[in-house]
Amino acid sequence: MHVLRLPQFTNEEDRPKILGWMKRPGERVEVGDVLGELETQKATFLVEADRPGILLRLVASVGIPLEPRSALAIIGGEEEKAEAEAWVEEGPKEPKG
């Protein structure tokens, strides 16, 4: 299970937010696949998968300002779906892998 996180931006006051998701949980993703769009005060960025797998969960909600290093999505194997759900429900802990 891998947690895709918001990168650290240079402007600490900038609170980016997700504009929309293009992929849905359960879809297979490859490195570079566009998962969604992220907006900062200065620009719009694409959120891309950084490893292959199944998109297990979208963690960040559309339109809600995000903190640096916030979890955006969880990618993993089908067998890790329950672990991903528990990770979100119980609160972030460092996942294996």
Side-chain angles (χ1 to χ4, degrees):
M1 184 175 96
H2 170 69
V3 178
L4 178 63
R5 295 190 177 274
L6 179 69
Q8 179 73 44
F9 290 95
T10 55
N11 180 359
E12 301 239 349
E13 294 177 12
D14 197 356
R15 301 268 317 267
K17 54 188 159 192
I18 297 292
L19 289 178
W21 291 108
M22 280 96 166
K23 295 281 188 180
R24 299 283 173 243
E27 289 188 64
R28 179 130 189 88
V29 297
E30 299 297 332
V31 174
D33 283 358
V34 176
L35 305 179
E37 284 185 294
L38 178 75
E39 179 183 57
T40 69
Q41 291 176 355
K42 296 182 179 181
T44 301
F45 298 92
L46 298 176
V47 177
E48 296 181 353
D50 59 354
R51 64 182 54 193
I54 305 291
L55 181 58
L56 298 174
R57 180 79 187 248
L58 297 172
V59 180
S61 298
V62 173
I64 304 296
L66 300 166
E67 296 292 330
R69 303 292 299 148
S70 291
L72 299 177
I74 301 175
I75 299 170
E78 189 65 42
E79 70 282 357
E80 296 174 302
K81 187 172 184 174
E83 181 183 353
E85 292 297 326
W87 187 87
V88 172
E89 297 301 321
E90 296 171 9
K93 295 178 189 74
E94 286 306 309
K96 302 171 202 160

